[in-house]
Amino acid sequence: MKYLLFILCFYNIQCDITYIEVKYPLAGKRSPPNAIWPHPQKIDISNDLLYIHPNDLKVYSNIENCDIITKAIERYKPIFFPPTLDMHHPPSDTDNILQNLTLNIKGNSQCEKYIELNSNEAYNLTISQKIALVEANSVWGLLRGLETVSQLIYINEQNYVVINSSVHIIDSPRFRHRGVMLDSARHFLPVSIIKKNLDVMSYNKFNVFHWHLVDDQSFPFESKTFPNLSRAGAFSRDHVYTPADVADIIEHARLLGIRVIPEIDTPGHTHSWSKSMPELITVCWSHGKPYQAIYSTQGEMEIFNPSEPRVYSTMDALLREMKERFPSNYIHLGMDEVYDKCWLSNPSIRQWMVDNNILSTKSLHKYYADKILDITRNLSVTPIVWQDVWDEKVELPPGTIIQVWKDSSDNIEFASWASYLNRAANEGYNVILSSPWYLNYINYGKYNTDASVMNLEFFKYYEVEPLRQFSGSNEAKQRILGGEACLWGEFVDGTNLLSRFWPKAAAVAERLWSPAHINNSEDAQFRLDVHRCRLLRRGIPAQPILNGYCGNYELGMAKSMINHPAFNYDNAVWNDKTVQSSSQSGKVLASLSSSSSRMFSYNVYSILLLFVGYFYHK
């Protein structure tokens, strides 16, 4: 029978094995150990090197009273000189040493507090006659230039800290909005991990953190106005972002030149609200019964009730609070994936639609969206929406930003995300692209580039051209603000966020910063591999790009910086010297003694049973 079963399995199972091992030699140009990512607009660089005294590079600025610059200089010390690595002083017989680095802001520019959509991030970087100089028209340009300087510095094979002796870089971003979206509702993301992710965003010159704060699964945002939303809707009291947490994240992002844009997604994705505000949520029906969940169709209570006036007064109050607590003046309203079967299943809503001459669920969604958008008009907030509400012909307020996330449509007018961008920008809307950059999708296997077959999924993100097939005017082209790399949280939490996201997201960063002609993925794989090692040296557990190794600072090795205090923000401190009182110690020891006695008795009893059983069997 065993043999018959094997034969049946053999004839009914088909295996298609695809060999995906990376073969050498790889196409593309190898990169030096200080290759810059994202690639600058213009660069002229020598091969000659200057030495740098470890931990002794003098940094000056003509805007030193600006906290953004003073804290950046302090922050970059362990980046310039990795704290666990061996570094030699320059040879005693050389004067070929970098003297100092100067960060100069031009004109009468001030120390801006928060970066904005139209902030100037351009900079010039020059290294000449043993002096490094970064010049910019804003503090944000100085930050971007300082990051580039940090990437040019490296430790060579002889353990000398070095940098190119002649450099001339003129650089600025291609797109204004270069974002990362994280979902902290499906799994909670600790504050320390979010702050570390903000750091690595700055290493890649991203400037927007789109924070998908709440969803069906949980409501971790602690509202001052409606505290019960998180008390009842969060996973636990430990899985909550307090007002102090939110302020901490916003401040951390501010110093890095990153805007924080919160998203409160409605009218769908609102099941977590039902834990404390059930009166706002539609009760779903089936077969004449309320509170009926149908897998893949509807939950028991999962979507706002547009006929309920308290929905709008609640949203008005909550959006006012969001405006007060988040300084960006942009709020993402969501409005995607409105699963309307629940609305239609509810007899009260169906009757309300008849009474108000609303003939379809699309019209019902339009009714809801119009009222929420009116609130943002009154608050002078710039709304961002997922494209669904625009698909449904809702008239959006001037300045509204549409985030394109679909790659196909039931509407034959739209063949791909490129046609969405075309239409929206030509209709006068500002647009953000996300469709090709959902980094939570995991692929393993071949990816066909224009030049060859590659085994790296990273470059399907890299080879995206945001303006492909764009046929609008130059004015319309300016309305394509940029894009976002999105990481939805179904299978992501603090354990794997950084390794899952990086360095894949770096591919998106270069697409949004660098000029369009910097698009050779064969060359880019080597630069990105260098950048991945750089991230490891900065405490980021970024996953590999190519076969090979970085050094003795990889995760788990002697010089690893993944858990080094210089690159981490954990507040909890484990104290193994805590001494209990004598009475408590006695109780613990007594408990251990009792447990040991029980274990000994159990073992003796087990041995006796086995012994008796053996002779009984004999």
Side-chain angles (χ1 to χ4, degrees), residues 446-490:
K446 293 182 178 180
Y447 172 64
N448 295 324
T449 73
D450 293 337
S452 66
V453 176
M454 302 181 71
N455 298 331
L456 304 171
E457 66 166 346
F458 309 100
F459 295 105
K460 72 180 179 185
Y461 306 124
Y462 185 81
E463 294 196 341
V464 171
E465 169 44 51
L467 297 181
R468 82 177 194 206
Q469 302 173 15
F470 188 79
S471 58
S473 64
N474 286 333
E475 183 183 357
K477 188 182 294 185
Q478 294 301 311
R479 289 194 281 271
I480 298 179
L481 303 180
E484 289 183 359
C486 298
L487 190 67
W488 297 97
E490 286 88 351

Side-chain angles (χ1 to χ4, degrees), residues 445-616:
K446 293 182 178 180
Y447 172 64
N448 295 324
T449 73
D450 293 337
S452 66
V453 176
M454 302 181 71
N455 298 331
L456 304 171
E457 66 166 346
F458 309 100
F459 295 105
K460 72 180 179 185
Y461 306 124
Y462 185 81
E463 294 196 341
V464 171
E465 169 44 51
L467 297 181
R468 82 177 194 206
Q469 302 173 15
F470 188 79
S471 58
S473 64
N474 286 333
E475 183 183 357
K477 188 182 294 185
Q478 294 301 311
R479 289 194 281 271
I480 298 179
L481 303 180
E484 289 183 359
C486 298
L487 190 67
W488 297 97
E490 286 88 351
F491 306 105
V492 177
D493 65 5
T495 63
N496 64 346
L497 165 65
L498 296 170
S499 59
R500 177 72 61 84
F501 206 45
W502 303 102
K504 287 190 291 185
V508 183
E510 181 150 296
R511 233 9 343 103
L512 295 173
W513 179 280
S514 304
H517 69 267
I518 304 295
N519 59 6
N520 186 323
S521 55
E522 304 284 0
D523 291 347
Q525 65 182 325
F526 292 102
R527 284 193 298 109
L528 191 53
D529 196 48
V530 166
H531 190 55
R532 181 257 173 168
C533 293
R534 179 183 294 135
L535 296 182
L536 288 181
R537 292 195 299 273
R538 300 181 183 195
I540 305 300
Q543 65 183 6
I545 294 292
L546 300 177
N547 290 347
Y549 70 99
C550 289
N552 62 354
Y553 51 84
E554 293 162 359
L555 177 61
M557 299 188 74
K559 302 292 186 178
S560 173
M561 277 160 280
I562 302 303
N563 297 311
H564 195 280
F567 302 111
N568 286 277
Y569 303 98
D570 296 311
N571 294 321
V573 177
W574 177 260
N575 185 355
D576 58 359
K577 297 181 180 179
T578 302
V579 180
Q580 295 175 307
S581 67
S582 57
S583 60
Q584 289 175 320
S585 298
K587 290 178 182 177
V588 172
L589 289 171
S591 176
L592 288 171
S593 175
S594 175
S595 175
S596 299
S597 298
R598 286 196 300 270
M599 182 61 71
F600 176 76
S601 300
Y602 176 79
N603 287 338
V604 171
Y605 180 68
S606 299
I607 291 169
L608 287 172
L609 280 177
L610 289 171
F611 187 74
V612 172
Y614 172 77
F615 282 99
Y616 179 79

Side-chain angles (χ1 to χ4, degrees), residues 24-44:
Y24 290 97
L26 294 176
K29 181 180 178 182
R30 271 61 176 169
S31 294
N34 59 349
I36 299 170
W37 194 282
H39 197 284
Q41 298 286 331
K42 296 179 181 179
I43 179 170
D44 183 16

Side-chain angles (χ1 to χ4, degrees), residues 14-18:
Q14 294 182 348
C15 296
D16 182 13
I17 300 176
T18 301

Side-chain angles (χ1 to χ4, degrees), residues 345-360:
S345 76
N346 186 289
S348 298
I349 289 182
R350 287 203 310 270
Q351 185 59 51
W352 184 87
M353 290 172 66
V354 171
D355 295 343
N356 289 272
N357 197 32
I358 295 176
L359 304 179
S360 68

Side-chain angles (χ1 to χ4, degrees), residues 184-209:
S184 61
R186 290 175 174 86
H187 282 99
F188 184 81
L189 300 175
V191 171
S192 60
I193 299 295
I194 291 177
K195 291 171 72 173
K196 200 163 180 175
N197 194 71
L198 288 166
D199 287 347
V200 68
M201 285 172 61
S202 73
Y203 304 153
N204 291 274
K205 298 185 172 76
F206 280 108
N207 65 358
V208 175
F209 171 33

